[in-house]
């Protein structure tokens, strides 16, 4: 969920931390972030502020987002140490689905038909002496977990697919 008094169409470090903790620790090392391109400006400025007592630094801040080929030493951007993939199918900034944390191995894919169906036609482009080919491969997919699961101890719920609520 969004933070209290969170500005519309923003992403905060606390949002990311809550999303991260909503995924079971055993799945986090293989998790991937998928984001809309609109999220980039918010992510690129993201960090966790340090704390001070008067003028004494108690804890230094830390970076949540790292650029490609930067400190993370990865060929892609990272968020909480996991790769970020940008995709136009994600929703625009501020809506559910603009940023998604998911565990790819928790998605079940099955063949709907036996193998690849092929067809060809010499009639489609007969005047150009060209043969048209068609290949169909039908699959069905769904999350392995039908719902979120509750923690054995505590009030936290976990899921293999985590999205951020609407911020408007």
């Amino acid at each position: 969920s969004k933070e209290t008094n969170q500005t519309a169409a923003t992403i905060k470090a606390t949002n990311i931390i809550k999303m991260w903790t909503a995924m079971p620790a055993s799945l986090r090392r293989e998790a991937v972030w998928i984001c809309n391109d609109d999220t980039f400006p918010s992510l690129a400025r993201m960090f966790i502020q340090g704390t001070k007592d008067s003028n004494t630094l108690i804890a230094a801040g830390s970076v949540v987002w790292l650029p490609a080929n930067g400190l993370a030493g990865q060929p892609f951007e990272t968020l909480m140490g996991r790769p970020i993939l940008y995709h136009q199918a994600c929703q625009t900034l501020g809506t559910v689905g603009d940023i998604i944390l998911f565990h790819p191995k928790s998605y079940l894919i099955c063949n709907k038909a036996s193998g690849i169906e092929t067809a060809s036609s010499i009639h489609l482009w007969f005047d150009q002496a060209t043969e048209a080919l068609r290949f169909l491969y039908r699959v069905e997919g769904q999350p392995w977990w039908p719902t979120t699961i509750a923690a054995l101890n505590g009030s936290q719920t976990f899921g293999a697919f985590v999205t951020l609520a609407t911020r408007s």
Side-chain angles (χ1 to χ4, degrees):
S1 60
K2 70 176 190 170
E3 296 299 307
T4 306
N5 299 325
Q6 182 170 349
T7 308
T10 60
I11 301 173
K12 293 186 168 193
T14 50
N15 297 138
I16 299 302
I17 292 167
K18 287 180 179 180
M19 289 178 71
W20 186 251
T21 57
M23 179 170 283
S26 60
L27 302 183
R28 290 181 199 152
R29 69 175 169 264
E30 295 176 330
V32 176
W33 299 89
I34 298 182
C35 306
N36 185 298
D37 287 318
D38 296 345
T39 63
F40 177 79
S42 295
L43 297 176
R45 294 188 307 261
M46 191 169 290
F47 67 96
I48 300 170
Q49 292 182 349
T51 56
K52 286 197 294 186
D53 182 14
S54 298
N55 290 329
T56 306
L57 183 64
I58 296 173
S62 64
V63 180
V64 178
W65 174 89
L66 291 173
N69 298 315
L71 292 173
Q74 301 293 330
F76 41 78
E77 296 169 20
T78 61
L79 189 59
M80 300 295 288
R82 299 305 309 147
I84 303 172
L85 304 173
Y86 293 97
H87 200 282
Q88 63 186 6
C90 290
Q91 299 300 314
T92 191
L93 182 63
T95 56
V96 175
D98 60 347
I99 182 166
I100 303 165
L101 175 63
F102 84 105
H103 183 253
K105 292 182 180 177
S106 295
Y107 193 76
L108 180 63
I109 297 178
C110 303
N111 292 339
K112 287 186 77 174
S114 58
I116 299 173
E117 178 186 321
T118 61
S120 65
S121 172
I122 60 171
H123 307 292
L124 181 61
W125 292 312
F126 177 78
D127 59 338
Q128 298 176 18
T130 303
E131 183 175 6
L133 303 172
R134 181 183 70 196
F135 300 94
L136 295 175
Y137 184 63
R138 298 180 61 193
V139 295
E140 177 75 25
Q142 68 180 29
W144 189 270
W145 302 5
T147 61
T148 57
I149 58 171
L152 179 62
N153 297 310
S155 60
Q156 181 74 31
T157 57
F158 299 106
F161 299 84
V162 183
T163 59
L164 186 56
T166 299
R167 284 112 34 234
S168 57

